[in-house]
Structure formats: C-alpha cells, structure tokens
Amino acid sequence: MALINENYTKLPGGYLFSDIARKVSEFKVSHPDANVIRLGIGDVTKPLAPAVISALHKAVDEMSEASSFRGYGPEQGYDFLVNTIVENDYKARGLNIAVDEIFVSDGSKSDTGNIGDILGLDNIVAITDPVYPVYVDTNAMAGRAGELLADGKWSKLIYVPCTSENDFIPSLPKEKVDIVYLCYPNNPTGTTLTKDQLKVWVDWAIENKVLILFDGAYEAYITESDVPHSIYEIDGAEQVAIEFRSFSKTAGFTGTRCAYTVVPKSVMGYTKSGEKVSLNKLWNRRHTTKFNGVPYIIQRAAEACYSEEGKAQVKAVVDYYLNNAKIIREGLAAQGLKVYGGVNSPYIWVKTPNGMTSWGFFDYLLNDLNIVGTPGVGFGPSGEGYLRLTAFGTLENTKEAVGRLKKIII
Ligand code: MLT
C-alpha cells in the first residue's frame, strides 16, 4: 500500500494559472465568437530572436553528425553557456560570481520549487504577500507551510504584506525567520526595491543568518538606475542569497525552457547542531542526481542571447513589452484606475474599481469585456482588491484591451 504525501491533500483546488486557463476555456465554449484577449498568465507572444533561431538550427545540425553529436552534458550546464553568463550578467557589472556557482536548469519555476529539497522542514519561511504562488505551494507540499486557514494564510508561513498602504515596500518580519523569498522586479505587483531598500534585507539576513531566495526572473525589464539587477550588487549578499534567473521573460524562452540559479560557495546552511554546510555543495549534489542538464541545442540558443546581435534583438523585444506596459498603465490611469508597476516590469497591478473583489473584477472583465487578467487574491490574501495584467500580449491586442477597458465606469 503506497502512502501518499498528505501535504498534497491540504492544497486548495488547482494551481492558480491552471484554474484560470480552465475558466477561460469554459467561457470560450459558451461564447465561441468572443474575441478573448489574454493578459492573464505572463506568457510571451513574440517569437524567438533571429540570432537564437539560427543558433538553434546550427546546433540541431551538429546533432546530426557523429563528430559533433552530444549525449549527456554536464548537469550544471556547458562551459560555453556558464562562462557567457558569468561574463555578461556578473563580471560586466563588477560582480564576482564563479563558474562553479552557476547551475543551468529548465526554469526558475522548477528551481524555486526544488530548492526546498536541500532545506530542512523545520525552517520558518517568510514570503511577501501577494507572491508568486510556487513559493507557497511548494512549501505546503513539503510540509513547511502548516495548515491552510480560513483567511487564506498558511499557519506556519510568515506573511509580509506589500500593498499600496506601504507603497509595496515590505517591512522586515518581527518574527524569527530562517528563509525568505524575495522577487524583484516583483511578480505580481510589478514594483521594485531600490538598492538601499534591498540592502535593508541583506543586512538583516546577515545579522540573523537568514537565507534569501532571490527571484530575478524579470531583471531584463529594469529601466531605472537605482534598481539592482542582481542581489549581489548589495555588499554581503553573496553570504546569504541564492539568485534565480531565467531566459523565459528575457528572451521568450517560456516554451523553450532555460534558466540558471546562482548558489555562491559562501552561502551556508546549518545542521541542527549548528555546523555550517555549503549550500552550493548540497545543490550540486541534488542537481547532478535529479537532473540531467538542459538540452545542448537549448543551451546554444541561450548563449546566442548574449551575442552582439542577440543582445540587440532581445532588448528590442523587451522594449516592445515595456511599451505595452506603458500603454496599459497610462490608459488605465487616464480612466481613473489606480495602477502600479509596469515601469521596471511587464506586470501592471490594478486596484479593482468600486470596491470589487479580485474575482468579481476578473469575472466582469472576462464576461463583459472579454479580457483575461489574474485576480490579485490568487497571489495571496494581500492581493485581494487587485488584479494583474501582463504586457506580454501583442501591441494590437494591448491597444484593443485598453480601448475596451475605457468602458469601465468608476
Ligand atoms: C506568471 O504569470 O506569473 C508567470 O508566467 C508564471 C511563471 O513564470 O511560471
């Protein structure tokens, strides 16, 4: 008789974005003629950059010749990609990250979920609220979150609210915390922390031996100079922070799958008796045991994002989405709606009008305007009364959606 991991039975319904996809499919069945514009899940619409496509073609051809065919590669990623990442994303910013601190993977969703494998179940975990649901759900699966309470919070998690009341700047938790997830530029609110604001967290983490799990998946969208591109721009962060980076939103790899995680050798975890253990060593052990590496052709595609032409093409796409974000932000603000984010981020966080709930506004947008958003409360209790829109649609659909949103009466 196979016993199950009963923590799974505590999880509510389905995964947020799967639930929304189901609702939209049902709506499409009952309204086959509706022209539904999807600004819900943060999935890109632009094709891969030409430099990426040509690297892919070349790599595919290499796989057809015995002399250049590749089988298993290094689990941590091929040298050509790891070295390119270190040079461009770290050395170029004056940051000292070594090649054996980079772990190439199939996505930050997987890595932010899997990182829990190397961390004890007794850790007290803090999250900003609202938050990317993967952090919460994976901790619930592992048994670190406790029980789901009637107010939508998990009994053992520490919630750090980020709302318009505190300008989306999280305050340090008062409780004892062992691990905190920070995502900046933030998913879902689209807001950011400046270097000084992030330094507060790094200093606190150093003082209290807290591990920061820093999700930088939206780094490419930063436009303002005082917003850090990597947590390692903050002094001392290499002692306490693991950073997750992704090609998904940077270069349209949501379906192609490539990301990387930085685990500096100086980041320590502790045994119950207080002995220090390098998390780099543990993550390497986990990664090499449970993962066989990202396909060669995909790693060549990721490498191409850093060539001169690749960089220019990838930036042009990011600028295209940032322009969509501006159109949404300005269109909704002109309408009298309160909007946040969208300046250093592809996400726009909208306060629901007329005191509507997040799901009420979601239903209204879907049924009356045929626009799909993501209800803020789906990201956590402090997301109630907000809705997230993404800038990843086409320019035409974005303009059309903003035109439809003008029908909202406030
Ligand atoms: C989102 O919409 O929040 C993201 O697309 C989800 C993800 O990156 O997994």
Side-chain angles (χ1 to χ4, degrees), residues 15-17 40-43 108-109 132-134 187-188 217-218 246 248-249 254 257 347 374 379 388 390 392:
Y15 179 59
L16 175 64
F17 294 107
I41 189 164
D43 196 5
S108 290
K109 180 180 187 175
Y132 181 41
V134 171
N187 180 13
Y218 300 93
S246 170
S248 284
K249 315 297 158 75
T254 51
R257 309 308 305 152
Y347 294 128
T374 308
F379 297 99
R388 193 193 75 176
T390 90
F392 288 124

Side-chain angles (χ1 to χ4, degrees), residues 85-97 230 232-235 238:
I85 289 170
V86 166
E87 284 301 321
N88 287 274
D89 290 344
Y90 295 99
K91 280 215 174 112
R93 294 191 183 278
L95 305 176
N96 199 12
I97 295 294
S230 162
Y232 305 119
E233 288 177 38
I234 314 297
D235 281 346
E238 68 289 347

Side-chain angles (χ1 to χ4, degrees), residues 181-303:
Y181 290 80
L182 296 177
C183 172
Y184 288 98
N186 186 253
N187 180 13
T189 65
T191 60
T192 47
L193 292 185
T194 61
K195 283 183 192 155
D196 288 347
Q197 288 161 346
L198 187 56
K199 183 177 180 327
V200 171
W201 283 84
V202 170
D203 290 350
W204 165 82
I206 294 171
E207 201 174 314
N208 296 284
K209 293 201 170 80
V210 177
L211 173 66
I212 299 179
L213 299 176
F214 189 80
D215 187 346
Y218 300 93
E219 173 273 339
Y221 291 82
I222 294 172
T223 59
E224 293 179 323
S225 60
D226 60 347
V227 178
H229 287 254
S230 162
I231 193 167
Y232 305 119
E233 288 177 38
I234 314 297
D235 281 346
E238 68 289 347
Q239 296 167 43
V240 288
I242 291 177
E243 178 163 286
F244 304 91
R245 297 275 284 263
S246 170
F247 293 91
S248 284
K249 315 297 158 75
T250 309
F253 275 52
T254 51
T256 309
R257 309 308 305 152
C258 194
Y260 67 88
T261 288
V262 185
V263 190
K265 293 192 284 289
S266 43
V267 178
M268 294 294 149
Y270 299 86
T271 63
K272 281 203 170 131
S273 54
E275 195 188 323
K276 281 185 182 178
V277 179
S278 155
L279 292 186
N280 177 285
K281 228 169 136 182
L282 296 192
W283 185 245
N284 190 49
R285 188 70 173 84
R286 186 224 172 259
H287 202 68
T288 49
T289 304
K290 291 197 177 182
F291 188 62
N292 254 336
V294 171
Y296 171 73
I297 58 172
I298 305 297
Q299 294 195 51
R300 281 293 185 198
E303 180 197 25

Side-chain angles (χ1 to χ4, degrees), residues 29 32 35 55 59 62 75 98 127 165 173 201 252 326 330 357 373 410:
V29 169
N35 172 16
E62 285 178 57
E75 293 91 344
I127 48 148
E165 271 100 70
W201 283 84
K326 186 167 183 275
E330 291 177 356
T357 62
I410 299 169

